[in-house]
Amino acid sequence: VTTLAREVVQLAEMGLTPLEALQAATLRNAVLLQRERQIGQLAPGFDADFVVLGGSPLEDLRVLLDPLLVVSNGQVGLD
């Protein structure tokens, strides 16, 4: 389990909605780093690491803690 996944869950435990917690880790982080044209979303031309989950994180962020598949730096694997 990645530290980022645990942090997203903790953000929701502190009062953010699941959507706000996910945005804080992706879109808002990209803006903060002034890299919103390179990272923060899955889109053509963007750098992206991502996970395949067994459920919707909008319904339960804890699915982030047990991903089915992880793609990081172009490598596919299990977390």
Side-chain angles (χ1 to χ4, degrees), residues 17-30:
T17 68
L19 179 59
E20 291 168 336
L22 289 167
Q23 287 175 332
T26 56
L27 298 173
R28 296 191 191 285
N29 192 30

Side-chain angles (χ1 to χ4, degrees), residues 20-78:
E20 291 168 336
L22 289 167
Q23 287 175 332
T26 56
L27 298 173
R28 296 191 191 285
N29 192 30
V31 171
L32 179 67
L33 296 172
Q34 298 181 345
R35 295 191 60 212
E36 62 270 19
R37 293 183 184 196
Q38 299 162 310
I39 64 171
Q41 60 181 304
L42 288 176
F46 279 67
D47 295 335
D49 293 343
F50 63 93
V51 293
V52 177
L53 304 170
S56 171
L58 295 176
E59 294 176 15
D60 183 3
L61 282 172
R62 290 175 294 179
V63 299
L64 294 170
L65 302 175
D66 190 23
L68 301 175
L69 187 73
V70 176
V71 178
S72 180
N73 295 318
Q75 300 296 313
V76 179
L78 298 174

